[in-house]
Amino acid sequence: MALGRVWGAVLAMAFAAAPVGIFATGWLAQNIGLRPTLGLFGGLYVLLICYVVRNRPLRGLADPAEARTPVSEDAATAG
């Protein structure tokens, strides 16, 4: 099942990246302060949201309910 492998890879990358993010956040908070660190990550989050909103392929995705088309009995028994 391909979706299971893809989902497993995504989770593995997220779990591997979490300690790096925690280390970077702690280092930044210690060196530049907590408020600037939170402002930096908040700004990065806003940029990420703007990228996702403006990304054409993501906007072109159909609603899963709309994408499903019922299969007629003739088409199901023909093959």
Side-chain angles (χ1 to χ4, degrees):
M1 180 174 185
L3 184 59
R5 285 180 268 157
V6 170
W7 187 242
V10 168
L11 284 177
M13 286 188 286
F15 285 135
V20 175
I22 292 169
F23 176 76
T25 302
W27 186 84
L28 282 171
Q30 186 174 7
N31 289 311
I32 67 172
L34 180 61
R35 287 181 189 252
T37 300
L38 292 175
L40 175 70
F41 282 107
L44 290 173
Y45 185 71
V46 168
L47 287 175
L48 178 66
I49 295 300
C50 290
Y51 171 74
V52 169
V53 168
R54 295 184 48 86
N55 193 348
R56 285 187 184 264
L58 290 178
R59 284 188 294 162
L61 290 176
D63 183 24
E66 292 177 10
R68 292 186 202 127
T69 56
V71 178
S72 68
E73 288 184 30
D74 294 335
T77 57

Short mmCIF file of all heavy atoms in Angstrom, two decimals:
data_model
loop_
_atom_site.label_atom_id
_atom_site.label_comp_id
_atom_site.label_asym_id
_atom_site.label_seq_id
_atom_site.Cartn_x
_atom_site.Cartn_y
_atom_site.Cartn_z
N MET A 1 0.85 -1.19 0.00
CA MET A 1 0.00 0.00 0.00
C MET A 1 0.89 1.24 0.00
O MET A 1 1.60 1.50 0.96
CB MET A 1 -0.90 -0.05 1.22
CG MET A 1 -1.82 1.11 1.35
SD MET A 1 -2.93 0.83 2.74
CE MET A 1 -3.96 2.22 2.58
N ALA A 2 0.86 2.00 -1.07
CA ALA A 2 1.76 3.14 -1.23
C ALA A 2 1.45 4.25 -0.24
O ALA A 2 2.36 4.90 0.26
CB ALA A 2 1.66 3.67 -2.66
N LEU A 3 0.20 4.49 0.04
CA LEU A 3 -0.14 5.58 0.95
C LEU A 3 0.43 5.32 2.33
O LEU A 3 0.90 6.22 3.01
CB LEU A 3 -1.66 5.77 1.02
CG LEU A 3 -2.14 6.94 1.86
CD1 LEU A 3 -1.57 8.25 1.34
CD2 LEU A 3 -3.64 7.00 1.88
N GLY A 4 0.43 4.08 2.76
CA GLY A 4 0.99 3.75 4.07
C GLY A 4 2.48 4.04 4.13
O GLY A 4 2.98 4.55 5.12
N ARG A 5 3.20 3.73 3.06
CA ARG A 5 4.64 4.00 3.03
C ARG A 5 4.91 5.49 2.98
O ARG A 5 5.84 5.98 3.63
CB ARG A 5 5.28 3.31 1.84
CG ARG A 5 5.41 1.80 2.07
CD ARG A 5 6.05 1.14 0.90
NE ARG A 5 4.93 0.72 0.04
CZ ARG A 5 5.01 0.49 -1.24
NH1 ARG A 5 6.16 0.63 -1.85
NH2 ARG A 5 3.97 0.11 -1.93
N VAL A 6 4.12 6.23 2.22
CA VAL A 6 4.31 7.67 2.14
C VAL A 6 4.03 8.31 3.49
O VAL A 6 4.80 9.15 3.97
CB VAL A 6 3.40 8.28 1.04
CG1 VAL A 6 3.40 9.79 1.12
CG2 VAL A 6 3.84 7.81 -0.32
N TRP A 7 2.94 7.91 4.11
CA TRP A 7 2.59 8.46 5.42
C TRP A 7 3.67 8.11 6.45
O TRP A 7 4.04 8.93 7.28
CB TRP A 7 1.23 7.93 5.85
CG TRP A 7 0.73 8.56 7.10
CD1 TRP A 7 0.47 7.94 8.27
CD2 TRP A 7 0.41 9.94 7.32
NE1 TRP A 7 0.02 8.83 9.20
CE2 TRP A 7 -0.03 10.07 8.65
CE3 TRP A 7 0.45 11.08 6.53
CZ2 TRP A 7 -0.41 11.28 9.21
CZ3 TRP A 7 0.07 12.29 7.08
CH2 TRP A 7 -0.35 12.38 8.39
N GLY A 8 4.21 6.90 6.37
CA GLY A 8 5.28 6.50 7.27
C GLY A 8 6.53 7.34 7.07
O GLY A 8 7.20 7.72 8.03
N ALA A 9 6.86 7.64 5.81
CA ALA A 9 8.02 8.48 5.53
C ALA A 9 7.82 9.90 6.04
O ALA A 9 8.75 10.51 6.60
CB ALA A 9 8.30 8.50 4.03
N VAL A 10 6.63 10.44 5.88
CA VAL A 10 6.33 11.79 6.36
C VAL A 10 6.45 11.83 7.89
O VAL A 10 7.06 12.76 8.45
CB VAL A 10 4.93 12.24 5.89
CG1 VAL A 10 4.50 13.50 6.62
CG2 VAL A 10 4.92 12.46 4.40
N LEU A 11 5.89 10.86 8.56
CA LEU A 11 5.99 10.81 10.01
C LEU A 11 7.43 10.64 10.47
O LEU A 11 7.86 11.26 11.45
CB LEU A 11 5.12 9.69 10.58
CG LEU A 11 3.63 9.95 10.61
CD1 LEU A 11 2.88 8.72 11.13
CD2 LEU A 11 3.32 11.14 11.49
N ALA A 12 8.20 9.81 9.79
CA ALA A 12 9.60 9.62 10.16
C ALA A 12 10.39 10.92 10.03
O ALA A 12 11.20 11.25 10.90
CB ALA A 12 10.22 8.53 9.29
N MET A 13 10.14 11.66 8.95
CA MET A 13 10.83 12.94 8.79
C MET A 13 10.41 13.94 9.86
O MET A 13 11.24 14.69 10.38
CB MET A 13 10.57 13.51 7.39
CG MET A 13 11.32 12.77 6.31
SD MET A 13 11.22 13.55 4.70
CE MET A 13 9.55 13.13 4.21
N ALA A 14 9.12 13.96 10.20
CA ALA A 14 8.66 14.88 11.23
C ALA A 14 9.27 14.54 12.59
O ALA A 14 9.72 15.43 13.32
CB ALA A 14 7.13 14.84 11.32
N PHE A 15 9.32 13.26 12.93
CA PHE A 15 9.91 12.86 14.19
C PHE A 15 11.42 13.12 14.21
O PHE A 15 11.99 13.42 15.25
CB PHE A 15 9.61 11.40 14.49
CG PHE A 15 8.21 11.15 14.94
CD1 PHE A 15 7.49 10.09 14.41
CD2 PHE A 15 7.60 11.96 15.87
CE1 PHE A 15 6.19 9.85 14.81
CE2 PHE A 15 6.30 11.74 16.28
CZ PHE A 15 5.59 10.68 15.76
N ALA A 16 12.08 12.99 13.08
CA ALA A 16 13.52 13.26 13.02
C ALA A 16 13.81 14.75 13.09
O ALA A 16 14.84 15.16 13.64
CB ALA A 16 14.10 12.67 11.74
N ALA A 17 12.92 15.58 12.54
CA ALA A 17 13.15 17.03 12.52
C ALA A 17 12.80 17.70 13.85
O ALA A 17 13.30 18.79 14.14
CB ALA A 17 12.34 17.66 11.39
N ALA A 18 11.96 17.07 14.65
CA ALA A 18 11.53 17.69 15.91
C ALA A 18 12.70 18.03 16.84
O ALA A 18 12.77 19.16 17.34
CB ALA A 18 10.51 16.81 16.60
N PRO A 19 13.63 17.14 17.10
CA PRO A 19 14.75 17.51 17.98
C PRO A 19 15.61 18.64 17.42
O PRO A 19 16.10 19.48 18.17
CB PRO A 19 15.57 16.22 18.10
CG PRO A 19 14.64 15.13 17.76
CD PRO A 19 13.68 15.71 16.78
N VAL A 20 15.77 18.68 16.10
CA VAL A 20 16.54 19.77 15.48
C VAL A 20 15.83 21.10 15.71
O VAL A 20 16.46 22.11 16.05
CB VAL A 20 16.74 19.48 13.98
CG1 VAL A 20 17.44 20.64 13.29
CG2 VAL A 20 17.51 18.20 13.78
N GLY A 21 14.51 21.11 15.54
CA GLY A 21 13.75 22.33 15.77
C GLY A 21 13.78 22.77 17.22
O GLY A 21 13.88 23.97 17.52
N ILE A 22 13.71 21.82 18.13
CA ILE A 22 13.77 22.15 19.55
C ILE A 22 15.14 22.73 19.89
O ILE A 22 15.25 23.73 20.62
CB ILE A 22 13.45 20.91 20.40
CG1 ILE A 22 11.98 20.54 20.22
CG2 ILE A 22 13.77 21.14 21.87
CD1 ILE A 22 11.62 19.19 20.80
N PHE A 23 16.20 22.13 19.37
CA PHE A 23 17.55 22.63 19.61
C PHE A 23 17.71 24.04 19.04
O PHE A 23 18.23 24.94 19.72
CB PHE A 23 18.59 21.69 18.98
CG PHE A 23 19.99 22.19 19.10
CD1 PHE A 23 20.66 22.10 20.31
CD2 PHE A 23 20.63 22.77 18.02
CE1 PHE A 23 21.96 22.59 20.43
CE2 PHE A 23 21.93 23.24 18.13
CZ PHE A 23 22.60 23.15 19.33
N ALA A 24 17.26 24.26 17.82
CA ALA A 24 17.39 25.58 17.18
C ALA A 24 16.59 26.63 17.94
O ALA A 24 17.06 27.76 18.14
CB ALA A 24 16.92 25.51 15.73
N THR A 25 15.40 26.27 18.38
CA THR A 25 14.57 27.23 19.13
C THR A 25 15.23 27.59 20.46
O THR A 25 15.26 28.77 20.84
CB THR A 25 13.17 26.63 19.38
OG1 THR A 25 12.59 26.31 18.12
CG2 THR A 25 12.28 27.62 20.10
N GLY A 26 15.76 26.60 21.17
CA GLY A 26 16.44 26.88 22.43
C GLY A 26 17.67 27.75 22.24
O GLY A 26 17.92 28.68 23.01
N TRP A 27 18.44 27.44 21.20
CA TRP A 27 19.64 28.21 20.93
C TRP A 27 19.28 29.66 20.59
O TRP A 27 19.91 30.61 21.08
CB TRP A 27 20.42 27.57 19.79
CG TRP A 27 21.74 28.23 19.54
CD1 TRP A 27 22.92 27.99 20.17
CD2 TRP A 27 22.01 29.25 18.58
NE1 TRP A 27 23.89 28.79 19.66
CE2 TRP A 27 23.36 29.59 18.68
CE3 TRP A 27 21.22 29.92 17.64
CZ2 TRP A 27 23.96 30.55 17.88
CZ3 TRP A 27 21.81 30.88 16.84
CH2 TRP A 27 23.17 31.19 16.97
N LEU A 28 18.28 29.84 19.73
CA LEU A 28 17.85 31.20 19.37
C LEU A 28 17.30 31.95 20.56
O LEU A 28 17.60 33.13 20.76
CB LEU A 28 16.81 31.14 18.25
CG LEU A 28 17.34 30.90 16.85
CD1 LEU A 28 16.19 30.66 15.89
CD2 LEU A 28 18.17 32.08 16.38
N ALA A 29 16.48 31.29 21.37
CA ALA A 29 15.90 31.96 22.54
C ALA A 29 16.98 32.39 23.51
O ALA A 29 16.88 33.46 24.13
CB ALA A 29 14.90 31.04 23.22
N GLN A 30 18.03 31.60 23.63
CA GLN A 30 19.11 31.95 24.55
C GLN A 30 19.97 33.08 24.00
O GLN A 30 20.43 33.94 24.74
CB GLN A 30 19.99 30.73 24.81
CG GLN A 30 21.06 30.95 25.85
CD GLN A 30 21.82 29.68 26.17
OE1 GLN A 30 21.62 28.67 25.53
NE2 GLN A 30 22.66 29.76 27.17
N ASN A 31 20.16 33.11 22.70
CA ASN A 31 21.08 34.09 22.11
C ASN A 31 20.42 35.39 21.68
O ASN A 31 21.07 36.44 21.76
CB ASN A 31 21.82 33.46 20.93
CG ASN A 31 22.83 32.43 21.40
OD1 ASN A 31 23.61 32.71 22.29
ND2 ASN A 31 22.79 31.26 20.82
N ILE A 32 19.20 35.35 21.20
CA ILE A 32 18.56 36.61 20.77
C ILE A 32 17.36 36.98 21.63
O ILE A 32 16.81 38.06 21.47
CB ILE A 32 18.15 36.57 19.28
CG1 ILE A 32 17.04 35.56 19.02
CG2 ILE A 32 19.33 36.29 18.40
CD1 ILE A 32 16.47 35.62 17.61
N GLY A 33 16.91 36.08 22.50
CA GLY A 33 15.78 36.38 23.38
C GLY A 33 14.52 35.64 22.95
O GLY A 33 14.40 35.19 21.81
N LEU A 34 13.62 35.52 23.90
CA LEU A 34 12.40 34.75 23.65
C LEU A 34 11.46 35.46 22.68
O LEU A 34 10.96 34.86 21.73
CB LEU A 34 11.68 34.46 24.97
CG LEU A 34 10.39 33.66 24.85
CD1 LEU A 34 10.68 32.29 24.26
CD2 LEU A 34 9.71 33.53 26.19
N ARG A 35 11.23 36.76 22.91
CA ARG A 35 10.29 37.48 22.04
C ARG A 35 10.75 37.53 20.58
O ARG A 35 9.95 37.27 19.68
CB ARG A 35 10.03 38.88 22.57
CG ARG A 35 9.17 38.87 23.81
CD ARG A 35 8.92 40.29 24.29
NE ARG A 35 8.29 40.26 25.58
CZ ARG A 35 7.01 40.59 25.77
NH1 ARG A 35 6.27 40.96 24.75
NH2 ARG A 35 6.49 40.54 26.97
N PRO A 36 12.01 37.85 20.31
CA PRO A 36 12.44 37.81 18.90
C PRO A 36 12.35 36.41 18.28
O PRO A 36 12.02 36.27 17.11
CB PRO A 36 13.89 38.30 18.94
CG PRO A 36 14.00 39.08 20.20
CD PRO A 36 13.05 38.44 21.16
N THR A 37 12.63 35.39 19.09
CA THR A 37 12.53 34.02 18.58
C THR A 37 11.09 33.69 18.22
O THR A 37 10.81 33.13 17.15
CB THR A 37 13.06 33.01 19.62
OG1 THR A 37 14.42 33.31 19.90
CG2 THR A 37 12.94 31.59 19.12
N LEU A 38 10.16 34.03 19.11
CA LEU A 38 8.75 33.79 18.81
C LEU A 38 8.29 34.61 17.61
O LEU A 38 7.52 34.14 16.78
CB LEU A 38 7.89 34.10 20.03
CG LEU A 38 8.07 33.16 21.22
CD1 LEU A 38 7.24 33.64 22.41
CD2 LEU A 38 7.69 31.74 20.85
N GLY A 39 8.78 35.85 17.49
CA GLY A 39 8.46 36.67 16.33
C GLY A 39 9.00 36.08 15.04
O GLY A 39 8.32 36.08 14.01
N LEU A 40 10.23 35.55 15.11
CA LEU A 40 10.83 34.93 13.92
C LEU A 40 10.03 33.72 13.47
O LEU A 40 9.68 33.60 12.29
CB LEU A 40 12.27 34.52 14.23
CG LEU A 40 12.99 33.74 13.14
CD1 LEU A 40 13.28 34.64 11.96
CD2 LEU A 40 14.26 33.13 13.69
N PHE A 41 9.71 32.82 14.40
CA PHE A 41 8.95 31.64 14.02
C PHE A 41 7.51 31.98 13.62
O PHE A 41 6.94 31.34 12.74
CB PHE A 41 8.98 30.60 15.14
CG PHE A 41 10.27 29.83 15.18
CD1 PHE A 41 11.20 30.07 16.17
CD2 PHE A 41 10.57 28.90 14.20
CE1 PHE A 41 12.39 29.38 16.21
CE2 PHE A 41 11.77 28.20 14.23
CZ PHE A 41 12.69 28.45 15.23
N GLY A 42 6.93 33.00 14.24
CA GLY A 42 5.61 33.45 13.82
C GLY A 42 5.63 34.00 12.40
O GLY A 42 4.74 33.71 11.59
N GLY A 43 6.67 34.77 12.08
CA GLY A 43 6.82 35.29 10.72
C GLY A 43 7.02 34.19 9.70
O GLY A 43 6.46 34.22 8.60
N LEU A 44 7.83 33.18 10.06
CA LEU A 44 8.02 32.05 9.16
C LEU A 44 6.72 31.29 8.94
O LEU A 44 6.43 30.84 7.82
CB LEU A 44 9.09 31.10 9.72
CG LEU A 44 10.52 31.61 9.69
CD1 LEU A 44 11.45 30.66 10.43
CD2 LEU A 44 10.99 31.83 8.26
N TYR A 45 5.93 31.18 9.99
CA TYR A 45 4.63 30.50 9.87
C TYR A 45 3.70 31.27 8.93
O TYR A 45 3.03 30.67 8.08
CB TYR A 45 4.01 30.34 11.25
CG TYR A 45 2.74 29.55 11.26
CD1 TYR A 45 2.75 28.18 11.03
CD2 TYR A 45 1.51 30.15 11.50
CE1 TYR A 45 1.59 27.44 11.03
CE2 TYR A 45 0.34 29.43 11.51
CZ TYR A 45 0.40 28.08 11.28
OH TYR A 45 -0.76 27.35 11.28
N VAL A 46 3.68 32.60 9.06
CA VAL A 46 2.84 33.42 8.18
C VAL A 46 3.31 33.28 6.73
O VAL A 46 2.49 33.16 5.81
CB VAL A 46 2.84 34.89 8.64
CG1 VAL A 46 2.23 35.81 7.61
CG2 VAL A 46 2.12 35.03 9.97
N LEU A 47 4.63 33.27 6.50
CA LEU A 47 5.14 33.08 5.14
C LEU A 47 4.74 31.72 4.58
O LEU A 47 4.39 31.60 3.40
CB LEU A 47 6.66 33.23 5.11
CG LEU A 47 7.19 34.64 5.28
CD1 LEU A 47 8.73 34.62 5.37
CD2 LEU A 47 6.75 35.52 4.13
N LEU A 48 4.80 30.70 5.40
CA LEU A 48 4.40 29.37 4.96
C LEU A 48 2.92 29.34 4.58
O LEU A 48 2.55 28.78 3.54
CB LEU A 48 4.68 28.34 6.05
CG LEU A 48 4.27 26.91 5.74
CD1 LEU A 48 5.11 26.35 4.61
CD2 LEU A 48 4.40 26.04 6.97
N ILE A 49 2.08 29.97 5.38
CA ILE A 49 0.64 30.02 5.07
C ILE A 49 0.40 30.79 3.78
O ILE A 49 -0.40 30.36 2.94
CB ILE A 49 -0.14 30.65 6.25
CG1 ILE A 49 -0.04 29.77 7.48
CG2 ILE A 49 -1.59 30.89 5.88
CD1 ILE A 49 -0.58 28.38 7.32
N CYS A 50 1.11 31.89 3.59
CA CYS A 50 0.96 32.65 2.34
C CYS A 50 1.38 31.82 1.13
O CYS A 50 0.74 31.87 0.08
CB CYS A 50 1.77 33.94 2.40
SG CYS A 50 1.11 35.16 3.54
N TYR A 51 2.46 31.04 1.28
CA TYR A 51 2.90 30.18 0.19
C TYR A 51 1.84 29.14 -0.14
O TYR A 51 1.54 28.89 -1.31
CB TYR A 51 4.22 29.51 0.56
CG TYR A 51 4.63 28.44 -0.44
CD1 TYR A 51 5.14 28.79 -1.68
CD2 TYR A 51 4.48 27.10 -0.14
CE1 TYR A 51 5.50 27.82 -2.60
CE2 TYR A 51 4.83 26.12 -1.05
CZ TYR A 51 5.34 26.49 -2.28
OH TYR A 51 5.68 25.53 -3.18
N VAL A 52 1.27 28.52 0.88
CA VAL A 52 0.26 27.48 0.65
C VAL A 52 -0.98 28.08 -0.01
O VAL A 52 -1.55 27.49 -0.92
CB VAL A 52 -0.08 26.77 1.97
CG1 VAL A 52 -1.30 25.88 1.82
CG2 VAL A 52 1.11 25.95 2.45
N VAL A 53 -1.38 29.25 0.42
CA VAL A 53 -2.58 29.89 -0.15
C VAL A 53 -2.35 30.26 -1.61
O VAL A 53 -3.24 30.13 -2.43
CB VAL A 53 -2.98 31.12 0.69
CG1 VAL A 53 -4.02 31.96 -0.01
CG2 VAL A 53 -3.49 30.68 2.05
N ARG A 54 -1.13 30.70 -1.94
CA ARG A 54 -0.86 31.14 -3.31
C ARG A 54 -0.39 30.03 -4.24
O ARG A 54 -0.21 30.24 -5.43
CB ARG A 54 0.19 32.25 -3.29
CG ARG A 54 -0.32 33.50 -2.60
CD ARG A 54 0.67 34.63 -2.67
NE ARG A 54 1.21 34.89 -3.99
CZ ARG A 54 0.66 35.65 -4.92
NH1 ARG A 54 -0.50 36.21 -4.68
NH2 ARG A 54 1.25 35.85 -6.08
N ASN A 55 -0.19 28.84 -3.72
CA ASN A 55 0.31 27.72 -4.52
C ASN A 55 -0.80 27.22 -5.46
O ASN A 55 -1.82 26.71 -5.01
CB ASN A 55 0.79 26.61 -3.60
CG ASN A 55 1.59 25.56 -4.32
OD1 ASN A 55 1.61 25.52 -5.54
ND2 ASN A 55 2.23 24.72 -3.56
N ARG A 56 -0.59 27.33 -6.75
CA ARG A 56 -1.62 26.95 -7.72
C ARG A 56 -2.04 25.49 -7.64
O ARG A 56 -3.22 25.19 -7.68
CB ARG A 56 -1.17 27.28 -9.13
CG ARG A 56 -1.24 28.75 -9.44
CD ARG A 56 -0.93 28.97 -10.92
NE ARG A 56 -0.91 30.38 -11.20
CZ ARG A 56 -1.95 31.04 -11.68
NH1 ARG A 56 -3.08 30.41 -11.91
NH2 ARG A 56 -1.86 32.32 -11.92
N PRO A 57 -1.12 24.55 -7.56
CA PRO A 57 -1.56 23.15 -7.49
C PRO A 57 -2.43 22.86 -6.27
O PRO A 57 -3.37 22.08 -6.35
CB PRO A 57 -0.25 22.35 -7.43
CG PRO A 57 0.75 23.22 -8.07
CD PRO A 57 0.34 24.62 -7.71
N LEU A 58 -2.15 23.50 -5.17
CA LEU A 58 -2.97 23.27 -3.98
C LEU A 58 -4.36 23.89 -4.13
O LEU A 58 -5.35 23.34 -3.67
CB LEU A 58 -2.28 23.82 -2.73
CG LEU A 58 -1.05 23.07 -2.27
CD1 LEU A 58 -0.43 23.75 -1.07
CD2 LEU A 58 -1.37 21.63 -1.96
N ARG A 59 -4.42 25.05 -4.78
CA ARG A 59 -5.73 25.67 -5.00
C ARG A 59 -6.56 24.88 -5.99
O ARG A 59 -7.78 24.89 -5.96
CB ARG A 59 -5.57 27.10 -5.51
CG ARG A 59 -5.18 28.07 -4.44
CD ARG A 59 -5.23 29.48 -4.95
NE ARG A 59 -4.20 29.64 -5.99
CZ ARG A 59 -4.19 30.62 -6.87
NH1 ARG A 59 -5.13 31.50 -6.88
NH2 ARG A 59 -3.23 30.70 -7.75
N GLY A 60 -5.90 24.16 -6.91
CA GLY A 60 -6.61 23.41 -7.93
C GLY A 60 -7.13 22.07 -7.47
O GLY A 60 -7.82 21.39 -8.22
N LEU A 61 -6.79 21.66 -6.26
CA LEU A 61 -7.27 20.37 -5.77
C LEU A 61 -8.78 20.42 -5.58
O LEU A 61 -9.33 21.38 -5.06
CB LEU A 61 -6.59 20.02 -4.45
CG LEU A 61 -5.12 19.68 -4.52
CD1 LEU A 61 -4.57 19.43 -3.12
CD2 LEU A 61 -4.89 18.46 -5.38
N ALA A 62 -9.43 19.39 -6.00
CA ALA A 62 -10.89 19.32 -5.86
C ALA A 62 -11.25 18.82 -4.47
O ALA A 62 -10.46 18.14 -3.81
CB ALA A 62 -11.47 18.39 -6.92
N ASP A 63 -12.43 19.14 -4.07
CA ASP A 63 -12.97 18.60 -2.83
C ASP A 63 -13.11 17.09 -3.00
O ASP A 63 -13.60 16.63 -4.03
CB ASP A 63 -14.32 19.25 -2.54
CG ASP A 63 -14.93 18.81 -1.24
OD1 ASP A 63 -14.17 18.39 -0.34
OD2 ASP A 63 -16.16 18.90 -1.10
N PRO A 64 -12.69 16.28 -2.02
CA PRO A 64 -12.79 14.83 -2.19
C PRO A 64 -14.21 14.36 -2.49
O PRO A 64 -14.41 13.41 -3.24
CB PRO A 64 -12.31 14.28 -0.86
CG PRO A 64 -11.47 15.35 -0.27
CD PRO A 64 -12.03 16.64 -0.78
N ALA A 65 -15.21 15.04 -1.95
CA ALA A 65 -16.59 14.65 -2.22
C ALA A 65 -16.95 14.91 -3.69
O ALA A 65 -17.69 14.14 -4.30
CB ALA A 65 -17.54 15.40 -1.30
N GLU A 66 -16.41 15.99 -4.26
CA GLU A 66 -16.69 16.31 -5.67
C GLU A 66 -15.93 15.37 -6.60
O GLU A 66 -16.38 15.07 -7.69
CB GLU A 66 -16.27 17.74 -5.98
CG GLU A 66 -17.10 18.80 -5.30
CD GLU A 66 -16.56 20.19 -5.61
OE1 GLU A 66 -15.69 20.31 -6.50
OE2 GLU A 66 -17.00 21.14 -4.96
N ALA A 67 -14.74 14.94 -6.19
CA ALA A 67 -13.90 14.13 -7.06
C ALA A 67 -14.45 12.73 -7.27
O ALA A 67 -14.16 12.10 -8.28
CB ALA A 67 -12.48 14.05 -6.48
N ARG A 68 -15.24 12.24 -6.36
CA ARG A 68 -15.79 10.89 -6.50
C ARG A 68 -16.94 10.90 -7.49
O ARG A 68 -17.87 11.69 -7.37
CB ARG A 68 -16.31 10.39 -5.15
CG ARG A 68 -15.21 10.15 -4.18
CD ARG A 68 -15.78 9.51 -2.92
NE ARG A 68 -14.85 9.76 -1.84
CZ ARG A 68 -15.16 10.29 -0.69
NH1 ARG A 68 -16.39 10.63 -0.42
NH2 ARG A 68 -14.25 10.46 0.23
N THR A 69 -16.85 10.05 -8.45
CA THR A 69 -17.95 9.92 -9.40
C THR A 69 -18.48 8.50 -9.30
O THR A 69 -17.70 7.54 -9.30
CB THR A 69 -17.50 10.21 -10.84
OG1 THR A 69 -16.42 9.35 -11.15
CG2 THR A 69 -17.07 11.65 -11.00
N PRO A 70 -19.75 8.34 -9.21
CA PRO A 70 -20.28 6.98 -9.09
C PRO A 70 -20.05 6.21 -10.37
O PRO A 70 -20.12 6.74 -11.48
CB PRO A 70 -21.78 7.19 -8.83
CG PRO A 70 -22.07 8.59 -9.24
CD PRO A 70 -20.78 9.35 -9.15
N VAL A 71 -19.76 4.96 -10.23
CA VAL A 71 -19.54 4.07 -11.38
C VAL A 71 -20.86 3.38 -11.69
O VAL A 71 -21.50 2.80 -10.81
CB VAL A 71 -18.44 3.03 -11.07
CG1 VAL A 71 -18.26 2.09 -12.22
CG2 VAL A 71 -17.15 3.74 -10.73
N SER A 72 -21.24 3.43 -12.96
CA SER A 72 -22.48 2.78 -13.33
C SER A 72 -22.29 1.26 -13.34
O SER A 72 -21.16 0.78 -13.45
CB SER A 72 -22.96 3.27 -14.70
OG SER A 72 -22.06 2.82 -15.68
N GLU A 73 -23.36 0.54 -13.25
CA GLU A 73 -23.28 -0.92 -13.25
C GLU A 73 -22.74 -1.45 -14.56
O GLU A 73 -22.04 -2.46 -14.59
CB GLU A 73 -24.66 -1.51 -12.96
CG GLU A 73 -25.10 -1.34 -11.54
CD GLU A 73 -26.43 -2.04 -11.27
OE1 GLU A 73 -26.69 -3.04 -11.94
OE2 GLU A 73 -27.17 -1.54 -10.44
N ASP A 74 -23.04 -0.77 -15.68
CA ASP A 74 -22.56 -1.21 -16.99
C ASP A 74 -21.03 -1.15 -17.04
O ASP A 74 -20.38 -2.06 -17.53
CB ASP A 74 -23.15 -0.37 -18.10
CG ASP A 74 -24.65 -0.55 -18.23
OD1 ASP A 74 -25.13 -1.64 -17.82
OD2 ASP A 74 -25.34 0.36 -18.72
N ALA A 75 -20.47 -0.08 -16.51
CA ALA A 75 -19.01 0.09 -16.54
C ALA A 75 -18.35 -0.89 -15.59
O ALA A 75 -17.25 -1.39 -15.84
CB ALA A 75 -18.63 1.52 -16.17
N ALA A 76 -19.01 -1.20 -14.48
CA ALA A 76 -18.41 -2.11 -13.49
C ALA A 76 -18.39 -3.55 -13.99
O ALA A 76 -17.48 -4.31 -13.70
CB ALA A 76 -19.18 -2.02 -12.18
N THR A 77 -19.38 -3.93 -14.77
CA THR A 77 -19.44 -5.33 -15.25
C THR A 77 -18.80 -5.51 -16.61
O THR A 77 -18.62 -6.63 -17.05
CB THR A 77 -20.91 -5.80 -15.32
OG1 THR A 77 -21.64 -4.92 -16.18
CG2 THR A 77 -21.54 -5.83 -13.95
N ALA A 78 -18.46 -4.44 -17.29
CA ALA A 78 -17.91 -4.54 -18.64
C ALA A 78 -16.48 -5.06 -18.67
O ALA A 78 -16.06 -5.68 -19.62
CB ALA A 78 -17.97 -3.19 -19.36
N GLY A 79 -15.71 -4.80 -17.61
CA GLY A 79 -14.30 -5.12 -17.69
C GLY A 79 -13.95 -6.37 -17.02
O GLY A 79 -13.01 -7.03 -17.13
#
